Each structure stands twice: as C-alpha cells, then as structure tokens.
Amino acid sequence: MTTGVPGKKILGQDQIRRVIARIAHEVLERNGGANDIILVGIHTRGVPLAGRLAGLIEEFEDARPPVGVLDIGLYRDDVSAGGRPKMRPTDIPTSIEGRPVVLVDDVLYTGRTIRAAMDALNDFGRPNRIQLAVLIDRGHRELPIRADYVGKNIPTSANEQVRVHIAEVDGVDEVLVRKKA
C-alpha cells in the first residue's frame, strides 16, 4: 500500500523495521539493558514508534519498558497568535523521577518540538537523563538539540518536506521526501 502522496521514497516498511530494531539495540546498549528506562512517544507518530521500540526491547531482553504518551501542544512556541493547539491525551504510566527517559519522535528538524517535549516532561518529574530517539534527522537545527539515536540522516534543503507515514496512523510504513508545494 502507498499513501498516494508524491515524493521520493527514502525508507519502506522493511527498512523502517530494521532501523527501529537497530535503535532498540542501541538503547539497550547505552542504558545497560531495559531496567529503569521509560519510553515516551511524542504525539502523533512518536507514539507508535515508542510502542514498537518497547516491543523489540521486550523481544531482546524479556522486559518491556513502560511507554508513555506526551502531548506538547501547550508548550510549543511556534503556535500562531490566536491559534489554539490541538490537545491530545498525555499519559505517563509511571514516575520518571530519577530514571532515564527516552523521548521518541518521527523527525528531528529545528529542535523546537523536542524543546517543547522536554518542558512538558519536566512537569512530570525530574528524570536522571533524557535521551532522544528519532526515525529521521533532517538537520536545519534552530536550537542546540541532537538525537542520541537516529534511524537515518536525510540531508534536505529548506524547500523540501520529509513525510513519515506509520502504519498505525497512516496505514503504511514509508518515508518520503518531496518539494514543498
């Protein structure tokens, strides 16, 4: 299945599965196993990615880390004046206090989403460290934020878009790059 969205396909279903498996191994290696880590997916596509990571970690370690869901709408600094952010549920199923948290998102671009996510996460406690896992890093940072785990670096120009489609949200797994309309 394809989305019908025009663009050059960078990753397909099998490549995305392999990338997520590699990230799961890297998370386990860096954290000395699955003990104490908490995965937190950023709405929208970070949520199913965090769930997939947890499933793979469970396959590799026989221990499934808790998975949280984070909405950052109220923490964004790039919402237009008069605009209201769309609010979605946040659910952090266990205390993050003093534990390593791995934030999970689909694309890292300017860094503003991650800054907002860290602000939102701090309302739930103080983790001993926050790590970042992203499927795609496309560069063009506006803030000094770097991912700890990257599925694929895709250098892009400012007039291009990276479109990530995840089966749980979009019905297909693929990553496309296309010119902005």
Side-chain angles (χ1 to χ4, degrees), residues 78-163:
D78 55 357
V79 176
S80 62
R84 294 183 57 176
K86 179 180 177 183
M87 299 304 298
R88 292 165 288 201
T90 290
D91 178 29
I92 309 294
T94 187
S95 173
I96 65 170
E97 196 69 37
R99 295 174 68 181
V101 171
V102 179
L103 280 174
V104 182
D105 204 8
D106 57 347
V107 177
L108 176 58
Y109 182 38
T110 63
R112 293 191 176 282
T113 296
I114 304 309
R115 188 224 30 97
M118 289 188 298
D119 287 348
L121 196 60
N122 282 324
D123 282 349
F124 291 91
R126 185 174 176 184
N128 74 346
R129 69 183 167 275
I130 298 173
Q131 299 169 356
L132 176 59
V134 296
L135 187 63
I136 304 296
D137 184 345
R138 63 173 290 194
H140 302 280
R141 236 47 103 239
E142 293 175 8
L143 300 172
I145 290 175
R146 159 186 81 73
D148 299 280
Y149 314 103
V150 176
K152 186 165 181 73
N153 287 294
I154 300 177
T156 59
S157 69
N159 68 343
E160 291 177 309
Q161 290 180 317
V162 173
R163 302 290 292 222

Side-chain angles (χ1 to χ4, degrees), residues 35-46:
N35 294 336
D36 289 335
I37 64 170
I38 300 168
L39 303 177
V40 176
I42 301 170
H43 274 296
T44 294
R45 288 167 184 82

Side-chain angles (χ1 to χ4, degrees), residues 20-32:
I20 295 170
R22 179 176 44 78
I23 291 172
H25 282 292
E26 290 174 1
V27 167
L28 289 170
E29 184 176 325
R30 180 169 295 170
N31 290 286

Side-chain angles (χ1 to χ4, degrees), residues 5-8 159-163 176-181:
V5 175
K8 178 182 176 188
N159 68 343
E160 291 177 309
Q161 290 180 317
V162 173
R163 302 290 292 222
L176 305 172
V177 175
R178 68 179 188 166
K179 297 284 184 202
K180 285 185 180 177

